[in-house]
Amino acid sequence: MIEVSNLSRRFGDLLAVDSVSFAVAAGTITALVGTSGSGKSTLLRLINRLIEPTSGAVRIDGRDTSTVSGEELRRGIGYAIQGHGLFPHWTVARNIATVPDLLGWDKTRIARRVNELLELFGLDPETYAKKLPRQLSGGQQQRIGVARAIAAEPKVLLMDEPFGALDPIIRLKAQEDILAIQRRLGITIVLVTHDLDEAIRLGDRIAVMDSGRLLQYGAPAEILSHPAHGFVEKLVGGADRPLRLLSLGKVAELVEPGPADGVPVAEATSLRDALSDLLWRGAESLPVASNSGALLGRITLPAIVARAGRQA
Amino acid sequence: MTKGALFARLATWALLAGLVLAPQVFAPVLRPLTENGAPAIYDQGSLLDLTIAHLALVFVSSAVAAIVAIGAGIFVTRPAGEEFLPLSRSIVNIGQTFPPVAVLALAVPAVGFGAKPTLIALVLYGLLPIFENTITGLREVSEPVLEAAKGVGLDARQRLLRIEMPLALPVILAGVRLSVVVNLGTATIGSTVAAKGLGEVIIAGLQTSNTAFVLQGGVIVALLAVVIYDGFGLAERALARRAGLG
């Protein structure tokens, strides 16, 4: 659990972060969204004190972060950045072992942890442990960057545009991976992004920032259907809004009894993908199957359309 | 390594070894450059001893210059030392522009004749390339790498020793190489104030109009420079590969 209260940071005349307060529940993902210069990266760095606050406080699990040294604090918080920042002269294994090594773990425990993480990220330890970062692809480097960030089993992981340097296809895969890993480890993630779709896809909650102020903080559906006046409205109010709303729902929520023809869609499919499927196949309705393959009923075009509209 | 490069390297080593260890072999070649039956090969001391003394002058002065310049380069790239950068740079630049001969002239009255004034001149002359390369090397370490190093909790000392210095080392070494090679040549003037070195051979040649002596001294110094320059180059490439940059 992270509690940020009245946090401010001033650079000369510029108030980069202006009295921001919010709380992040343990085991959730919060996405900080905003344009460049909105203060979202500064806010992230205030949490692990890469930048010291001018005023205000951050508490992690009830403990004020200003009571320990910056280095000690950061060793307990994962940190992953755009362009991964891997140390080019260290092997993949040594990069991952950075924080455990700083914390004085013994060698066998470190080796075990490195192998475990490589396997978690789908990289064969035999092949990859001894490689240098430049011998890896962009997607692999990004995964090692995240592996290094969570190597010492931190409860909190901060990510600054972690997928910014990846091309769109690899980015989608990397986002799915981080979601799966987060669900598995129950880690608390605060993630900075300028990409609203990424924030909707990953965030349990979204914090919209502009000019150093936190404009709105809430679940993605709330931000999309009830945006605060001004900047947030402009940010989410584009032509994609109905589709973004649909991407938050699952087919399972709109299943109705009745027959339908064609290859069934899975109940875990997003409504946005189901709509796509219906339009592409030119169908009014499609059968819905559970994860185990049993037929549950059908999903219809009118039901999805009704869901996509402005919610009263 | 190509065959040609290997052959050139071996030939250089062989020529150098021959000139230093068995100079009489070259007497027939150098004889036409002498007049009035003067000796073709330097006979007032062992060329091997002079070469060793010469290398010792260069080694000691370069080591001192490296320690001072690398230390200063690290200091002015830390937040605490940033404001000293213009001052340090001026001092180091003066060391480079002030002629070593003039340094000798000023140093002799203070510390006497011999190796001491020569070492002072060589240290001052060798600072600039090492200092500038140290700064460049440290500044070239990429921003995400430094950000990540801070972000995972390395303190300032750990960042310098584990991340910045290893990554900057190939560039710093290139500065040391330049400094060593320049001082190999410059060290010959030390013989004007009685420092033992290969300058003796050249000066003896000039005083007796014996071109053969001048050529011997000059060629040995030049070959030393080539061999050392080449050796440093190999070391830099190996380091750059190890630093994951090559």
Side-chain angles (χ1 to χ4, degrees):
Chain A
M1 161 110 175
I2 307 170
E3 293 159 276
V4 172
S5 36
N6 294 317
L7 202 61
S8 294
R9 171 67 207 211
R10 183 180 284 283
F11 294 111
D13 283 340
L14 175 79
L15 202 52
V17 171
D18 183 359
S19 191
V20 167
S21 299
F22 67 105
V24 176
T28 63
I29 302 183
T30 294
L32 301 179
V33 195
T35 50
S36 52
S38 62
K40 56 189 193 305
S41 281
T42 308
L43 177 59
L44 192 78
R45 280 165 219 210
L46 287 170
I47 295 175
N48 67 359
R49 283 175 56 210
L50 273 176
I51 300 174
E52 297 286 347
T54 309
S55 64
V58 177
R59 268 182 291 278
I60 295 179
D61 291 331
R63 194 161 72 137
D64 191 326
T65 54
S66 65
T67 55
V68 294
S69 79
E71 278 84 27
E72 198 186 326
L73 176 71
R74 287 190 281 277
R75 287 169 197 175
I77 299 177
Y79 188 57
I81 55 174
Q82 176 169 14
H84 62 76
L86 292 175
F87 306 137
H89 57 310
W90 287 2
T91 61
V92 164
R94 193 168 174 205
N95 265 288
I96 296 176
T98 308
V99 185
D101 186 46
L102 286 171
L103 295 174
W105 289 20
D106 67 63
K107 282 211 171 70
T108 48
R109 187 176 169 205
I110 291 179
R112 199 165 358 107
R113 182 66 179 150
V114 168
N115 281 354
E116 195 178 297
L117 282 164
L118 282 170
E119 273 160 15
L120 181 67
F121 283 88
L123 297 165
D124 174 35
E126 286 284 310
T127 318
Y128 290 99
K130 296 235 163 65
K131 285 197 192 258
L132 287 172
R134 71 185 156 90
Q135 296 168 307
L136 305 180
S137 72
Q140 290 168 340
Q141 290 171 340
Q142 190 272 338
R143 275 182 272 168
I144 300 301
V146 178
R148 176 177 66 183
I150 62 172
E153 298 167 352
K155 290 199 187 116
V156 173
L157 170 61
L158 306 179
M159 308 181 91
D160 194 350
E161 301 267 6
F163 313 113
L166 303 178
D167 61 58
I169 293 168
I170 298 174
R171 186 185 309 178
L172 210 60
K173 173 80 172 68
Q175 290 169 348
E176 280 165 14
D177 287 350
I178 202 72
L179 260 182
I181 285 165
Q182 190 270 338
R183 299 299 179 226
R184 202 167 135 185
L185 304 178
I187 216 168
T188 310
I189 298 182
V190 180
L191 172 136
V192 161
T193 178
H194 62 265
D195 177 356
L196 184 64
D197 287 314
E198 181 169 286
I200 291 170
R201 198 171 302 128
L202 297 178
D204 295 305
R205 309 201 82 185
I206 294 177
V208 183
M209 287 198 67
D210 188 47
S211 317
R213 281 173 305 123
L214 179 62
L215 299 182
Q216 192 172 9
Y217 180 50
E222 189 192 328
I223 303 266
L224 286 173
S225 48
H226 303 290
H229 280 298
F231 179 81
V232 188
E233 215 164 25
K234 257 190 357 216
L235 182 75
V236 305
D240 284 342
R241 173 148 60 167
L243 296 173
R244 283 174 173 152
L245 262 171
L246 286 180
S247 71
L248 291 168
K250 299 273 181 261
V251 167
E253 299 160 26
L254 294 181
V255 178
E256 54 187 73
D261 298 325
V263 181
V265 295
E267 62 170 334
T269 312
S270 81
L271 289 171
R272 181 180 189 157
D273 292 348
L275 173 67
S276 229
D277 211 2
L278 280 161
L279 293 174
W280 184 246
R281 295 205 229 170
E284 272 288 308
S285 62
L286 285 173
V288 177
S290 71
N291 292 334
S292 55
L295 281 183
L296 299 171
R298 64 178 180 178
I299 179 124
T300 63
L301 200 51
I304 297 180
V305 171
R307 179 67 177 269
R310 178 191 291 275
Q311 317 267 313
Chain B
M1 198 189 309
T2 65
K3 265 188 187 163
L6 183 65
F7 178 76
R9 194 166 280 148
L10 288 176
T12 313
W13 274 94
L15 186 58
L16 178 60
L19 274 169
V20 173
L21 300 173
Q24 292 304 333
V25 174
F26 296 88
V29 187
L30 293 169
R31 181 93 55 216
L33 297 171
T34 60
E35 288 166 7
N36 309 325
I41 300 300
Y42 187 67
D43 54 0
Q44 294 156 39
S46 143
L47 281 174
L48 180 63
D49 286 353
L50 290 178
T51 303
I52 291 169
H54 194 91
L55 286 175
L57 274 178
V58 173
F59 177 80
V60 172
S61 60
S62 295
V64 173
I67 291 166
V68 173
I70 293 173
I74 290 171
F75 177 66
V76 298
T77 49
R78 305 301 100 185
E82 234 167 28
E83 51 185 309
F84 293 95
L85 176 59
L87 178 69
S88 319
R89 193 166 255 162
S90 309
I91 294 174
V92 169
N93 270 302
I94 291 169
Q96 180 78 24
T97 40
F98 208 76
V101 178
V103 176
L104 287 184
L106 291 173
V108 167
V111 297
F113 284 90
K116 275 188 206 158
T118 313
L119 285 173
I120 292 172
L122 292 183
V123 168
L124 286 177
Y125 207 50
L127 288 173
L128 182 74
I130 307 177
F131 178 73
E132 286 299 333
N133 276 36
T134 304
I135 293 174
T136 306
L138 288 171
R139 282 192 177 155
E140 271 175 5
V141 177
S142 85
E143 198 46 56
V145 167
L146 288 177
E147 167 88 6
K150 259 189 229 163
V152 298
L154 289 164
D155 61 32
R157 189 189 150 84
Q158 290 164 334
R159 287 199 300 275
L160 176 67
L161 295 179
R162 300 188 192 184
I163 309 296
E164 295 176 73
M165 283 306 280
L167 291 175
L169 205 54
V171 181
I172 296 176
L173 208 58
V176 175
R177 153 160 84 161
L178 197 58
S179 170
V180 165
V181 167
V182 167
N183 273 351
L184 265 170
T186 313
T188 51
I189 61 159
S191 304
T192 58
V193 292
K196 208 176 161 201
L198 289 163
E200 270 183 46
V201 184
I202 296 170
I203 288 167
L206 291 173
Q207 282 169 346
T208 58
S209 299
N210 187 338
T211 315
F213 282 10
V214 177
L215 199 66
Q216 265 164 71
V219 168
I220 292 175
V221 170
L223 288 176
L224 283 174
V226 169
V227 164
I228 289 173
Y229 188 86
D230 183 52
F232 266 102
L234 292 176
E236 279 161 39
R237 280 199 290 282
L239 276 173
R241 263 201 305 279
R242 254 192 29 199
L245 306 168

